[in-house]
Amino acid sequence: ETRFREMAFLNKGLKIVLGEEGSEKKETFHYEGGLVEFVKWVNKSKEAIHAKPVYFMKEDGKVVVECAVQYNSGYQETVLSFVNTVNTIEGGTHEAGFKTALTRAINDYANKNKLNKDENLTGDDVREGLTAIISVKIPEPQFEGQTKTKLGNNEIKGIVDGLATKALTEFFEENPTVARRVIEKAIEAQKARNAAKKAKELVRRKNAFSVGGLPGK
């Protein structure tokens, strides 16, 4: 059931009917919205901070990169990635390329529009509350890892990074309200991270002075 649902989401328009012989049990998987519906389905029990998911499909030679992104009000990061419809549970070069592009596109937009007065946002800041589906179609995938669910093609990182940066930048320019909400969420994460870091440093300093007064000889 899970696999059929994935296949139907990844190939919009595809219809898969799962039935059980001898009973009335039957389920149909069919999604005209493809990855946009997939990201909404993953977020269904969460509160999305923007109704319209970020979506793009770009090509570079024989490589096709399709992606849907929607942020929610939570703090968890959910990135589901696929290569030729194979679920790459361990990620790989396509996922790394997307994450680099996302961080760059958000920082560029924030700096250009003077939305962030502190240092640049980190990857962890921009991925808080992120739900993303990345689907890549490539001619000769090389899978690594124990379960062969990690993409190892080095050239794919740069291709995904380049295509995703361009697409995300275009989307943010055309949808400033969504861009601002995403950046506000990332800035909140940055503030929380900095506050936690300061608190940790204070505790460490206190401990250093409370042990016998002077550290070392």
Side-chain angles (χ1 to χ4, degrees), residues 30-105:
H30 176 74
Y31 308 101
E32 282 298 340
L35 294 198
V36 172
E37 280 194 63
F38 197 172
V39 82
K40 284 182 176 177
W41 183 82
V42 175
N43 267 346
K44 68 180 185 290
S45 60
K46 296 162 187 158
E47 185 196 349
I49 64 167
H50 54 102
K52 181 187 179 182
V54 181
Y55 172 78
F56 65 86
M57 186 176 182
K58 299 272 182 191
E59 290 181 37
D60 183 335
K62 290 180 179 176
V63 177
V64 181
V65 179
E66 192 180 4
C67 189
V69 173
Q70 190 183 43
Y71 279 83
N72 60 66
S73 58
Y75 305 103
Q76 220 176 339
E77 170 194 334
T78 306
V79 177
L80 303 176
S81 62
F82 300 85
V83 175
N84 300 354
T85 74
V86 172
N87 189 342
T88 42
I89 301 156
E90 294 176 87
T93 52
H94 56 324
E95 208 173 289
F98 166 76
K99 287 178 178 178
T100 304
L102 183 72
T103 309
R104 186 188 297 117

